[in-house]
């Protein structure tokens, strides 16, 4: 079609060109194109040739003409909107459009809008769109604007894309280092709440293991109604209602829920005015699990089509939450493992200290009598010696039991307990075992009944069965003080049941479930003796289990307990791996003497409190110990000088305190019924006995336990084993101290009592009222009983809310005196609350060593003088008010009489110097003309309510401006006419001025705030631009073969390739060669294709060849027909997390190693511990036969003594070694010179005796555990002294060098600096081939007789050095001295 | 009367040597007890071809050459094949026991902790 020449401007232009040409324009206000003005023609030509979306609106109606590119903007309105008035086309956003058109047409200026949000209906639904556009006026032929031309850019995709990226990025940042699920949920929802456009609401539900119940773990917005965010959802209740949810959980696929408003009602709007009608349920998946971990519910943006693209975004969001959760899970799992291992480690350490603790009591009792016998061999009568030997023997037996339990423990722990099953008639066998207890129970006055009805054989390890029976019976014996103990054995179906029941103290219900736990001891249980390491019952359970049986405990507190052991009948249940010994016919197996032999409970432990020696005039000592041997031993030591009374436990001890009022108390710590600590607390809290010194005996060695003892309030602390002389000296010192303390105290008390001020002494950090004089009690208004010897808080509870407790604590903690000049205090005195004023001082009470032990309070009640002063102050205020009043002017205007009476001050205020002739008008006329209406309004209002008030300006005659405030009343007659007005006037010019200045300031401040806001906004915009491109995530698209289709900034940052280099390559390029070889990339792609997603963590390669630890999620992308069309791949660089995880794993491995080592150690240690014990028993056996021969006896005694001492050394070493395994020791700076000096002081005597010569270089300071380094030096120097026959020469040299310069084969870092310490001696040395052997535990190179040693010392050294990441070795030649080389990090 | 029986007791602990000798002689007063304080010392003594003990007792835990090594060495000496060699130790893990028996120990004895126990133990062996 050829156009008329004047319509050639309509040529081309694609579809719209065609449409425009064919449109019948005559029917529009524009008329036929041939009559269109030139400028319209030009504009239309422009848009038809442009590829930008553009339109022209022309004429009054702004008729719409647009081009092809603009079609996508008008969307569904095309083509009808061609030729329509703009008002019709953009009806829904006309309010936004119209002002802009007016600016163009009326002011002839263009507009510019960037990324303006417009809710447009382009495709049949209202859509969130962003446009950048400019309207430019088109001049008509008359030069005035006749139309508008507009160029548009659709920014919707950019703006929404950026917003979503920001959410993803924020999520990445917020979730990276979180470790708890709840924190992840909260942080995720916080981030989602920042994007209310895409998340009008969101909920997070955790899915229970069953998949049927969900728990709400977070939501946004906070006011989301409950219908949509019920705390718990139960899918089994209403399956139809939750069908989408079930699908989301069961199928692990995203579900779209529609009709939200219909189902749940209108929702609160967050960003959009319209509420979401659709929601997505997105499963948060966990790898290797059928069910999702959680469900994320998201309300859909009402202005956005829910298409695959949009769902893809939510999938990325859920991926992030998923990976954060699985990270947290991994970290948690590692940490849990670490905690579990540390717990095992800790309990082992406890076990070791417990066991060595238990060793000490019998040792004291062995060493004590032996010392005595050796000290006076001549006088010892046969009888005395026999008794001593008996004690020694009995305690050696006890030690043996303990060692055995240590051995059993370590065997079980190491899984080394081997069960050898033998067929045995359990009925008869148990009867025989139990019968050996008969006499024991009889002697204790208990009924003992054994019943058996079993004939069948059971397969058990007979030795273990003995231990089971023995332990259960000893337990029953221990905890049954009267009544009956019964053992019954019967067949019950396929089982043989043994019941051991007693009428003892029973077990509290809350202890039942811990009963079989290792190391657990029922605290303060009433029983006969309290010996044991806390593994008896746990051992029983382990043994029963090893025999394929079960054990059950029932108990009622105060009534007794019953333990039931069930063992299967016959041998059918035995497994092929079980060892069975058929060599002995079952009825011929009888118990050996193990039961009787190791049970020496027969010693009389029940001895009640009775006095051992009475010396009326002497000072009195109370000895509290549950061990009768120990009581007797102490009583014997002290009996010559003091009157000794005894008690067997804490309760008896307290009774004796009341009855005997001893001068000093000596108590054991661990005792049944009530332990020593509890007893001590009660004594110290009783004001009557508080000053009685208490000396605690403990078997627990070590500095910490000593400190613990003192902290608990012990006056002295003695560690077993102790010597008689030591005990005597300590008791004497305590008594002397007490005497002088009493003297000082009574003097002090005297001073206090008579002081003219109120004084009290608060002791300890709980502020026990130790002394309070009458005056202060009077101030407090309480009775002396209510307040004395109690924590102040208890007697005076009102002090806490008033902050005095905090004040006292501050003084106590800082040691700074606090002075209050005039402190109001509210007290409840005489039944009512009173306010008093007190001047007081809190003075910290310091002990000689500088520690603070209490606070002295000196107070003075100054209420009377304060009240008096306050009264004076009160009248001063009133006076001021009066002056103020004087500054007021007053007036009285009687309208009826036309009289205006006023004060001089009023005239002054109005600027009249002499106002005698002034009238009412003279005053009113002074009011500023602008403020007249204020005055008139105020008068009118006063007619209504009678109150007259206004503030106004007045102008003086000299032209100056003044402000007044008028306060008055109006009186009216019945006709509501004013009759009289009166009141006061105040000059408020100054006040006003102040306000004006203030307002000015506020204004300025607001301005600067606004400026700041603007700057902030700008920087925010900058930030937005900056974060346009995501950096934390590599997000890429792959086609079905894994070829990379696109690439983002994050990918470039993480992997190093630019998009040009990588697009088109296959993603296998990121994988390590070995991963490629094992087809990992293909496996992942296949997994994603089949199950929708593949998650993997592993090392990947960067462009530069370096590796990083990546967390990768590959998600399959589907088309509408569910065909896989490609994959999205999100990679995160988690190298740092990986490193920290690896570190954690290494730590766990170390812990495991330590545990193994400790087990090994326990096993070997118990072997070595048995040796001296066996000897003690052998020698005491031989001794008993040779008591008549003094010479032989003496030799045997010496042997026993040295064995016991050796035992003691061993136990000390065991404890030290087990302490080394503690992982929580602190590394600090340690000056090695000081360490050396300390050690040399310890060895002073020995060194002198051997005339040793020791010299050393200047030593450096290292970072180390002080105790351990001390031990290291002590062992090495001790060894050098010990293993040198005479005149030892020891040299300690030192230098610094790098690891690579160390001359031995070692495991040190080559480029790290080390301190080399060489301990050289001239002793016996050793053969170089044993150089490594000497550092293994219990390895001795020399016969014990020639040189002493436990075999642990050097192992200890090695361990210490390894703890410090160092290295130790030794060189020597037999007979020529040795050199020990220690390397510690410098 | 036949020449008195001989036994070699290898243990670094002189107390144990004393216990052993006392108990052994209480059963067979003619028994000659020889001592060695470690494996090396024992092997030195056994080099003397004229010395053919009837019994050998070896402690497990000794310096320089421990019980296991000593046992291995002794079992290499052909002329001692018929001699009963007992391991004599403080305590035993089942695994160690098995190991020692496999290396040719006649039995694995645990050191008793009473004189009477030791006498009973040796009684069974020496009779």
């Amino acid at each position: 079609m050829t156009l008329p020449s004047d319509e050639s401007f309509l040529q081309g232009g694609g579809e719209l060109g065609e449409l425009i040409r064919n449109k019948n324009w005559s029917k529009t206000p524009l008329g036929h194109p041939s009559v269109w003005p030139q400028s319209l023609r030009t504009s239309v030509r422009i848009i038809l040739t442009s590829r930008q979306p553009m339109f022209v609106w022309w004429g009054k109606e702004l008729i719409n003409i647009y081009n092809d590119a603009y079609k996508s903007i008008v969307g569904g309105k095309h083509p009808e909107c061609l030729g329509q008035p703009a008002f019709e086309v953009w009806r829904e956003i006309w309010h936004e459009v119209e002002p802009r058109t007016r600016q163009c047409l009326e002011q002839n200026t263009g507009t510019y809008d960037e990324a303006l949000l417009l809710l447009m209906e382009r495709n049949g639904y209202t859509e969130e769109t962003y446009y950048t556009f400019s309207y430019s006026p088109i001049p008509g032929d008359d030069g005035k604007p006749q139309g508008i031309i507009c160029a548009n850019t659709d920014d919707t995709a950019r703006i929404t894309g950026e917003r979503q990226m920001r959410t993803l990025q924020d999520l990445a940042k917020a979730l990276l280092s979180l470790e708890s699920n709840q924190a992840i949920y909260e942080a995720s929802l916080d981030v989602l709440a920042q994007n209310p456009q895409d998340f009008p609401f969101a909920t997070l539900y955790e899915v229970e293991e069953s998949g049927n119940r969900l728990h709400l773990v977070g939501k946004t917005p906070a006011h989301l109604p409950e219908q949509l965010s019920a705390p718990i959802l139960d899918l089994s209740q209403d399956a139809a209602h939750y069908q989408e949810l079930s699908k989301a959980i069961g199928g692990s696929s995203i579900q779209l829920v529609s009709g939200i408003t219909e189902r749940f009602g209108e929702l609160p709007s967050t960003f959009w005015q319209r509420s979401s009608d659709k929601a997505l349920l997105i499963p948060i998946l966990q790898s290797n699990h059928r069910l999702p971990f959680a469900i994320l519910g998201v309300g859909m943006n009402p202005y956005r089509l829910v298409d695959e693209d949009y769902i893809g975004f939510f999938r990325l969001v859920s991926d992030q939450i998923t990976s954060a959760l699985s990270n947290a899970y991994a970290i948690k799992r590692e940490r849990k493992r670490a905690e579990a291992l540390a717990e095992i480690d800790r309990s082992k350490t406890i076990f070791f200290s417990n066991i060595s603790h238990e060793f000490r009591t019998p040792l004291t009792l062995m060493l004590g009598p032996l010392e005595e016998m050796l000290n006076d061999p001549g006088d010892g009568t046969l009888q005395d010696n026999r008794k001593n030997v008996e004690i020694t023997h009995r305690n050696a037996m006890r030690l043996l039991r303990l060692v055995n339990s240590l051995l059993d423990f370590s065997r079980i722990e190491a899984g080394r307990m081997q069960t050898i099953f033998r067929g045995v008639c359990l009925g008869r066998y148990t009867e025989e075992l139990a019968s050996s207890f008969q006499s024991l129970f009889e002697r204790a006055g208990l009924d003992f009944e054994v019943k058996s009805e079993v004939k069948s054989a059971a397969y058990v390890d007979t030795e273990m069965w003995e231990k089971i029976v023995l332990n259960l019976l000893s337990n029953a014996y221990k905890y049954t003080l009267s009544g009956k103990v019964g053992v019954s054995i019967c067949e019950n179906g396929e089982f043989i049941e043994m019941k051991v029941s007693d009428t003892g103290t029973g077990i509290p219900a809350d202890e039942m479930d811990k009963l079989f736990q290792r190391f657990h001891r029922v605290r303060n249980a009433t029983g006969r003796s309290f010996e044991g390491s806390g593994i008896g019952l746990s051992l029983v359970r382990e043994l029963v289990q090893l025999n394929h049986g079960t054990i059950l405990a029932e108990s009622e507190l105060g009534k007794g307990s019953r333990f039931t052991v069930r063992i299967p009948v016959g041998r059918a249940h035995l497994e092929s791996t079980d060892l069975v010994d058929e060599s002995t016919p079952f009825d011929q197996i009888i118990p050996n003497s193990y039961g009787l032999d190791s049970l020496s409970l027969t010693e009389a432990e029940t001895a009640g409190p009775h006095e051992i020696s009475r010396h009326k005039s002497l000072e009195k000592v109370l000895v509290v110990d549950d061990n009768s041997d120990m009581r007797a031993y102490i009583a014997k030591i002290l009996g010559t000088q003091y009157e000794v009374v005894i008690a067997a436990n804490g309760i008896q001890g307290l009774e004796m305190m009341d009855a005997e009022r001893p001068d000093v108390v000596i108590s054991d710590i661990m005792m049944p019924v009530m332990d020593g600590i509890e007893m001590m607390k009660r004594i110290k809290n009783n004001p009557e006995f508080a000053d009685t010194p208490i000396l605690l005996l403990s078997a627990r060695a070590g500095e910490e336990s000593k400190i613990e003892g003192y902290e608990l309030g012990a006056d002295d602390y003695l560690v077993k084993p102790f010597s008689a002389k030591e005990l005597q000296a300590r008791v004497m010192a305590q008594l002397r101290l007490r005497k002088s303390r009493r003297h000082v105290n009574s003097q002090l008390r005297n001073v206090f009592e008579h002081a003219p001020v109120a004084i009290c002494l608060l002791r300890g950090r709980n502020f026990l009222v130790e002394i309070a004089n009458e005056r202060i009690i009077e101030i407090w208004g309480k009775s002396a009983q209510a307040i004395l010897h109690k924590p102040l808080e208890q007697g005076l509870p009102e002090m806490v809310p008033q902050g005095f407790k905090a004040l006292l604590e501050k003084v106590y903690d800082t040691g700074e005196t606090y002075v209050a000049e005039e402190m109001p205090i509210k007290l409840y005195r005489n039944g009512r609350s009173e306010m008093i004023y007190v001047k007081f001082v809190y003075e910290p009470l310091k002990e000689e060593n500088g520690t603070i032990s209490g606070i002295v309070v000196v107070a003075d009640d100054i209420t009377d003088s304060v009240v008096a002063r306050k009264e004076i102050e009160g009248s001063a205020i009133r006076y001021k008010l009066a002056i103020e009043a004087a500054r007021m002017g007053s007036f009285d205007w009687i309208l009826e009489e036309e009289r205006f009476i006023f004060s001089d001050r009023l005239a002054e205020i109005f600027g009249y110097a002499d106002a005698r002739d002034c009238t009412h008008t003279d005053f009113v006329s002074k009011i500023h003309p602008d403020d007249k209406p204020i005055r008139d309004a105020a008068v009118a209002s006063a007619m209504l309510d009678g109150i007259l008030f206004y503030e106004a300006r007045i102008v003086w005659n000299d032209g100056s401006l003044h402000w007044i405030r008028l306060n008055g009343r109006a009186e009216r007659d019945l006709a509501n006419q004013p009759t009289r007005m009166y009141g006061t006037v105040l000059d408020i010019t100054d006040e006003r001025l102040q306000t004006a200045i203030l307002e000015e300031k506020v204004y300025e401040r607001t301005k600067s705030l606004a400026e700041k806001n603007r700057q902030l906004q700008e920087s925010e915009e900058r930030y937005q631009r900056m974060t346009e491109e995501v950096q934390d995530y590599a997000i890429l698209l792959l086609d079905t073969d894994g070829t990379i289709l696109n690439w983002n900034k994050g990918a470039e940052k993480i992997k190093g390739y630019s998009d040009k280099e990588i697009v088109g390559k296959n993603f296998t390029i990121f994988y390590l060669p070995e991963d490629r070889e094992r087809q990992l990339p293909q496996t992942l792609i296949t997994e994603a294709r089949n199950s929708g997603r593949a998650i993997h963590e592993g090392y990947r390669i960067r462009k530069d060849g370096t590796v990083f630890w990546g967390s990768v999620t590959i998600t399959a992308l589907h088309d509408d027909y569910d065909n896989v069309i490609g994959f999205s791949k999100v990679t995160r660089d988690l190298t740092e997390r990986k490193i920290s995880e690896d570190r954690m794993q290494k730590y766990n491995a170390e812990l495991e190693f330590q545990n193994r080592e400790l087990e090994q150690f326990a096993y070997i240690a118990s072997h070595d511990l048995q040796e001296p014990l066996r000897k003690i028993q052998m020698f005491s056996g031989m001794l008993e036969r040779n008591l008549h021969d003094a010479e032989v006896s003496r030799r045997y005694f010496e042997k026993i003594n040295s064995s016991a001492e050796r035992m003691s050394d061993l136990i000390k070493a065991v404890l030290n070694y087990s302490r080394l395994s503690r992982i929580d020791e602190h590394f600090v700076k340690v000056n090695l010179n000081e360490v050396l000096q300390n050690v040399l002081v310890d060895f002073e005597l020995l060194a002198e005796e051997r005339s040793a010569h020791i010299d050393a270089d200047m030593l450096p300071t290292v970072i180390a555990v002080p105790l351990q380094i001390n031990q290291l030096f002590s062992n090495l120097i001790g060894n050098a002294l010990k293993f040198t026959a005479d005149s030892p020469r020891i040299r300690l040299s030192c230098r610094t060098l790098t690891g690579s310069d160390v001359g031995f084969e070692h495991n040190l870092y080559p480029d790290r600096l080390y301190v080399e310490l060489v301990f050289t001696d001239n002793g016996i040395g050793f053969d170089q081939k044993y150089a490594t052997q000497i550092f293994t535990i219990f390895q001795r190179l020399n016969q014990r007789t020639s040189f002493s040693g436990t075999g642990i010392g050097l192992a200890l050294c090695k361990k210490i050095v390894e703890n410090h990441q160092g290295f130790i070795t030794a060189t020597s030649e037999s007979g020529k001295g040795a050199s020990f080389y220690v390397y510690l990090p410098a | 009367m036949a020449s008195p029986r001989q036994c070699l007791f290898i243990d670094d602990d002189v107390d144990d040597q004393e216990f052993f000798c006392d108990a052994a002689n209480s059963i067979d007063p003619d028994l000659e007890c020889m001592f060695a304080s470690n494996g090396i010392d024992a092997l030195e003594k056994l080099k003397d071809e004229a010395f053919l003990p009837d019994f050998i007792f070896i402690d497990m835990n000794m310096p320089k050459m421990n019980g296991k090594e000593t046992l291995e060495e002794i079992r290499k000496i052909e002329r001692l094949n018929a001699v009963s060699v007992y391991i004599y130790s403080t305590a035993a893990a089942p695994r160690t026991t098995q190991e020692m028996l496999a290396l040719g120990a006649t039995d694995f004895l645990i050191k008793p902790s009473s004189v009477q126990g030791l006498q009973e133990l040796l009684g069974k062996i020496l009779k």
Side-chain angles (χ1 to χ4, degrees), chain B residues 3-62:
Chain B
S3 62
R5 294 189 295 177
Q6 286 185 321
C7 90
L8 174 61
F9 186 79
I10 312 170
D11 195 329
D12 62 323
D13 190 316
V14 287
D15 291 334
D16 268 324
Q17 294 179 4
E18 183 178 342
F19 296 149
F20 184 87
C21 187
D22 276 8
N25 282 327
S26 77
I27 293 157
D28 178 359
D30 295 331
L31 184 75
E32 273 182 36
C33 289
M34 321 294 252
F35 299 106
S37 57
N38 59 54
I40 292 168
D41 187 12
L43 292 173
E44 194 62 40
K45 288 200 162 85
L46 288 167
K47 267 186 192 162
D48 177 4
E49 301 251 335
F51 179 43
L52 186 67
D54 297 275
F55 310 97
I56 299 177
F57 294 85
I58 312 173
D59 181 26
M60 273 304 285
N61 190 13
M62 291 183 295

Side-chain angles (χ1 to χ4, degrees), chain A residues 937-957:
Chain A
V939 171
S941 149
M943 288 302 108
L944 299 174
D945 57 9
I947 294 166
L948 181 65
F949 176 85
Y950 63 90
E951 286 179 4
R953 282 168 293 177
I954 53 170
V955 188
W956 283 13
N957 282 339

Side-chain angles (χ1 to χ4, degrees), chain A residues 1207-1336:
Chain A
M1207 181 94 192
S1208 187
D1209 286 347
L1210 267 171
I1211 288 162
K1212 258 183 236 155
V1214 166
L1215 191 63
N1216 281 337
Y1217 195 85
S1218 71
R1219 281 224 186 101
L1220 274 191
S1221 305
R1222 275 167 50 171
I1223 44 178
D1224 52 351
E1225 298 243 44
H1226 294 297
F1227 281 77
V1228 294
K1229 276 189 182 168
V1230 178
N1231 183 339
L1232 295 179
N1233 296 305
E1234 286 170 19
V1235 173
L1236 180 67
Q1237 282 316 310
N1238 286 341
V1239 171
L1240 290 184
V1241 168
D1242 288 344
F1243 284 114
E1244 211 170 354
L1245 264 181
L1246 187 64
E1248 207 171 297
E1249 207 174 90
R1250 299 262 170 113
S1251 42
H1253 182 79
I1254 302 168
D1255 73 318
D1257 290 353
M1258 267 304 280
L1259 302 178
T1261 295
V1262 295
I1263 304 293
V1265 181
L1267 263 178
Q1268 295 191 1
I1269 290 295
N1270 219 57
Q1271 191 133 38
L1272 176 72
F1273 274 56
S1274 175
N1275 284 347
L1276 289 176
I1277 291 174
N1279 263 357
L1281 286 171
K1282 263 186 251 167
F1283 295 109
T1284 306
D1286 45 33
S1287 312
R1289 306 214 146 259
I1290 301 170
R1291 160 135 191 88
L1292 172 51
S1293 62
C1294 166
R1295 63 179 176 137
T1296 307
L1297 72 180
T1298 61
S1300 54
D1301 290 337
V1302 173
F1304 302 96
E1305 216 177 285
H1306 57 79
N1307 52 358
L1308 303 173
Y1309 294 102
D1311 43 5
R1312 197 161 162 185
L1313 272 181
Y1314 291 90
V1315 172
E1316 180 191 65
L1317 301 166
V1318 188
F1319 296 78
T1320 307
D1321 64 50
N1322 58 341
I1324 54 168
F1326 55 87
D1327 194 322
Q1328 185 61 32
K1329 66 181 172 189
Y1330 301 118
T1332 47
Q1333 231 183 30
I1334 53 171
F1335 292 107
T1336 24

Side-chain angles (χ1 to χ4, degrees), chain A residues 411 416 418 1163 1167-1168 1170-1171 1174-1175 1177-1179 1182 1185 1195 1199 1330 1340-1345, chain B residues 12-16 18-19 22 37 61 63-64 90-95 111-115 118:
Chain A
R411 269 185 188 163
R416 264 181 271 199
Q418 206 159 11
Y1163 189 70
H1167 276 230
D1168 255 52
Q1170 280 191 332
E1171 292 219 23
R1174 196 168 46 78
K1175 284 195 196 159
Q1177 286 176 290
M1178 293 287 259
F1179 281 121
M1182 290 159 86
R1185 292 177 205 188
R1195 198 171 82 81
K1199 292 266 188 196
Y1330 301 118
R1340 276 176 298 261
L1341 298 179
N1342 302 293
Q1343 245 166 285
R1344 275 166 217 147
T1345 37
Chain B
D12 62 323
D13 190 316
V14 287
D15 291 334
D16 268 324
E18 183 178 342
F19 296 149
D22 276 8
S37 57
N61 190 13
K64 291 184 185 166
T90 313
R95 199 174 305 161
K111 295 183 183 176
S113 52
S114 70
V115 178
L118 181 55

Side-chain angles (χ1 to χ4, degrees), chain A residues 1038-1058:
Chain A
L1038 308 176
D1039 69 6
T1040 46
D1041 299 327
T1043 309
I1044 298 161
L1045 299 178
N1046 86 332
W1047 191 247
N1048 75 336
K1049 271 275 154 65
E1052 184 170 341
K1053 193 175 150 200
I1054 292 174
K1055 299 184 183 178
Y1057 298 95
S1058 71

